[in-house]
Amino acid sequence: MSRLAILPALLILAACDSAPAVTFKDASITLPDDPLELPEGPGRDAVLENCTACHSPSTMLQQPKVSREKWEAIVGKMQKLYKAPIDDDAVPAIVGYMVHVQSQPEAAR
Amino acid sequence: MNDSRLSRRALIAGAGTAALAAPALAKLGGMIDLGLPGGPGLRPLSPAFPGKGEMIVQRIRPPLLETPMEAFAKGIITPNDRMFVRWNWPFPTEVKAAEHRVAIGGAVKQAVSLSLDEIAGAGEHVEIVAINQCAGNGRGLSEPRVTGTQWGNGAMGCAKWTGVRLRDVLAKAGLAEGAKRVRYAGLDVTLTEGAPQFIKSLPMDMAMRDDVLVAWAMNGEPLPILHGFPLRIVVPGWFSTYWVKMLAAIEVLTGEDDSHYVAETYRWPSVPVTPQAKDFPTVPITAMPPRAFITSHADGAVVAKGEPLTLEGFAFGGDAALERVDLVGTGRGGGWEIPCDLGPDEGGQYAFRRWSVRLPQVAGDFEGIGVRAKNVKGAVQPESLVWNRSGYARNVIERITLRAQ
């Protein structure tokens, strides 16, 4: 209670003499579902299985068009840096899917 | 509520209601076009998130919500329901106030674990209006394009923050000999073992600053979960990567911070680089540079020939107060410039500030006009993008074209 003495008058306006200046209440949120929307295309299942545990598909789908090598590097980064459990055998399918999707017109994605 | 009604009206009325129109953002059936060069630029305005108004949904999980530019068309405060949201990793969706603790350890005299009441009692309560801006704001507009979150320019906002000084919280533990940096972490956790936790640190001179806070309120309301309930770090003038949310642990370091989000990312070249450059020195991205935006007119808007024209918008100085804003024409050196009138200084040096300029008569089209902010330290927005491969700290002059009819 003695700590109230050091608060500037301005901020204890709303508080009565013995109440703490700030009251903390519990907080919670219900986040919207992630529909995991990924356009059809060869390799879609590999991407669903390997690439959607940590983030929504939009993380991949919104990237600017990059090369196959860049997609390989991105998958490598997910494995090495973020420890994504990605089956090495699935990498060509994942990369192939991303290259395919990026070759489609935007409206189809 | 008011804001979403406004935006719906703007949508129906179209570009004619210049004051309400969103610059460069065309809305199409629940989608918004961020106009990113080469695309893809279409983003959904759904699903709705609890406590948020209409937002550009860059990502549902973990949430990345961008503020539509129309939310910046009036005033200097971004309401809580329009503030952008950015998480790197998942975070708890429920926090019990009575159980929350902030552990302070490392190079301190005595390790402590503080309750929320103890934090609130750690010192004088301080209010500051400050801009919270993602280091990657505007990344999607980079040319050449770079990978990462493809933000338009809406990963920023200006709010009033209330809390205690970080240095008063640190005093609860006492700094030990050799204390050099202050590192902190939130409740967000990695999904995989061994992945880097989102922890950040400040050099001691910053951590001791008068206006660096451990904040619990945003625009007079408790921090919403999406914005870091119950506590977040506030570092006025610095990019929001340092504004760690859901603060749960503080560690005082005696040396450099070698953790991933300080030593390996959120860094940018200390020398100018080309897209081909490799092996250049980098430094952490810290202080914000000045920026200015036109909010009264969208790119491509039609203005009345022969009539006077008033342009409006907002600007900020970054890590120092805004000094001036100029309306600038096209062309390096050969262009024209007209000083703009600054609105009242409502929020102080780290806040948005409105500007306006009245042109006596529209003679013809305005091709590629922009506004250029300068801060009191002399930093001025550049003519061309300071390109970097992470798309950090965009502050090139943003340009639009107006058609006279």
Side-chain angles (χ1 to χ4, degrees):
Chain A
M1 230 151 285
S2 60
R3 68 181 140 91
L4 277 182
I6 59 169
L7 303 181
L10 174 81
L11 286 141
I12 42 174
L13 278 181
C16 49
D17 281 349
S18 56
V22 203
T23 347
F24 292 95
K25 297 206 185 93
D26 296 347
S28 66
I29 190 171
T30 307
L31 294 171
D33 287 338
D34 181 357
L36 290 177
E37 280 162 348
L38 270 174
E40 290 306 324
R44 181 176 181 272
D45 288 347
V47 173
L48 259 184
E49 269 165 45
N50 291 285
C51 308
T52 58
C54 303
H55 46 62
S56 304
S58 64
T59 308
M60 285 83 83
L61 299 175
Q62 291 172 354
Q63 296 305 317
K65 191 167 184 175
V66 294
S67 64
R68 180 175 290 273
E69 293 68 38
K70 178 71 184 177
W71 277 113
E72 284 164 356
I74 290 174
V75 175
K77 175 181 169 187
M78 298 303 131
Q79 292 176 297
K80 276 179 223 82
L81 176 60
Y82 300 132
K83 310 287 182 251
I86 297 164
D87 190 352
D88 279 338
D89 296 344
V91 175
I94 294 167
V95 169
Y97 175 85
M98 290 315 307
V99 171
H100 166 79
V101 165
Q102 292 205 317
S103 70
Q104 302 293 304
E106 181 172 2
R109 292 187 211 168
Chain B
M1 270 290 117
N2 260 341
D3 288 295
S4 54
R5 232 181 291 133
L6 276 184
S7 61
R8 230 166 283 137
R9 214 191 308 146
L11 169 62
I12 296 160
T17 52
L20 298 174
L25 301 180
K27 291 187 181 180
L28 327 140
M31 303 284 279
I32 201 164
D33 188 353
L34 296 178
L36 310 185
L42 287 179
R43 300 284 185 276
L45 295 163
S46 60
F49 278 69
K52 303 305 284 185
E54 188 175 79
M55 298 293 286
I56 302 164
V57 181
Q58 293 276 8
R59 183 172 75 191
I60 298 176
R61 184 178 45 88
L64 291 176
L65 308 179
E66 175 167 346
T67 306
M69 291 304 278
E70 72 206 16
F72 305 124
K74 289 246 148 47
I76 63 149
I77 295 290
T78 312
N80 290 0
D81 70 343
R82 305 309 289 283
M83 179 64 84
F84 84 100
V85 174
R86 196 266 185 269
W87 291 88
N88 293 63
W89 291 103
F91 52 91
T93 53
E94 188 178 10
V95 178
K96 298 251 183 263
E99 285 161 25
H100 190 80
R101 292 291 179 277
V102 179
I104 310 181
V108 293
K109 294 209 172 93
Q110 172 202 344
V112 291
S113 176
L114 304 175
S115 68
L116 293 177
D117 287 343
E118 285 168 325
I119 296 275
E124 186 187 3
H125 291 191
V126 181
E127 279 184 351
I128 184 160
V129 179
I131 294 158
N132 175 28
Q133 182 183 210
C134 180
N137 192 24
R139 175 184 292 119
L141 299 159
S142 283
E143 281 181 280
R145 294 287 296 277
V146 295
T147 55
T149 303
Q150 301 300 310
W151 300 112
N153 274 323
M156 62 177 169
C158 179
K160 183 182 76 182
W161 310 92
T162 312
V164 285
R165 296 186 176 95
L166 174 59
R167 67 158 187 251
D168 288 343
V169 172
L170 288 169
K172 290 289 206 179
L175 295 178
E177 195 78 14
K180 204 171 161 197
R181 286 185 81 86
V182 178
R183 180 156 76 182
Y184 38 82
L187 292 176
D188 37 342
V189 285
T190 67
L191 277 180
T192 39
E193 189 74 30
Q197 195 188 357
F198 188 75
I199 53 178
K200 296 290 297 189
S201 63
L202 289 174
M204 196 52 77
D205 57 335
M206 284 299 292
M208 290 295 125
R209 243 168 67 163
D210 232 19
D211 55 3
V212 169
L213 307 183
V214 174
W216 52 78
M218 174 175 170
N219 292 328
E221 299 284 330
L223 282 170
I225 284 219
L226 287 175
H227 295 289
F229 181 88
L231 300 169
R232 85 178 294 177
I233 300 281
V234 167
V235 188
W238 279 28
F239 283 108
S240 51
T241 176
Y242 295 93
W243 300 37
V244 163
K245 301 185 282 299
M246 290 192 169
L247 179 71
I250 299 177
E251 181 190 5
V252 179
L253 306 177
T254 51
E256 288 308 312
D257 184 354
D258 59 1
S259 61
H260 173 69
Y261 290 97
V262 171
E264 286 155 17
T265 184
Y266 288 102
R267 298 179 71 90
W268 72 330
S270 50
V271 294
V273 294
T274 62
Q276 292 75 37
K278 288 203 169 68
D279 301 326
F280 43 82
T282 64
V283 289
I285 183 96
T286 56
M288 298 191 290
R291 297 191 79 178
F293 299 87
I294 298 172
T295 55
S296 57
H297 292 74
D299 189 22
V302 171
V303 294
K305 203 167 183 167
E307 297 295 318
L309 174 67
T310 299
L311 299 176
E312 286 173 15
F314 70 99
F316 54 91
D319 70 333
L322 182 68
E323 183 178 275
R324 60 183 295 142
V325 174
D326 292 284
L327 180 69
V328 291
T330 319
R332 272 146 238 240
W336 47 267
E337 51 185 83
I338 301 170
C340 302
D341 296 321
L342 295 186
D345 179 7
E346 295 170 75
Q349 60 177 330
Y350 301 114
F352 286 166
R353 189 162 175 183
R354 313 271 345 153
W355 60 263
S356 69
V357 63
R358 188 173 186 273
L359 307 173
Q361 200 181 35
V362 174
D365 290 354
F366 290 102
E367 290 284 348
I369 53 166
V371 271
R372 185 187 60 202
K374 180 185 182 199
N375 72 19
V376 295
K377 283 189 187 166
V380 190
Q381 285 187 256
E383 280 289 338
S384 45
L385 179 72
V386 181
W387 187 92
N388 62 92
R389 67 175 178 199
S390 305
Y392 289 142
R394 176 184 178 87
N395 83 322
V396 61
I397 300 170
E398 307 286 348
R399 291 181 180 275
I400 64 170
T401 291
L402 300 177
R403 299 277 167 226
Q405 255 175 38

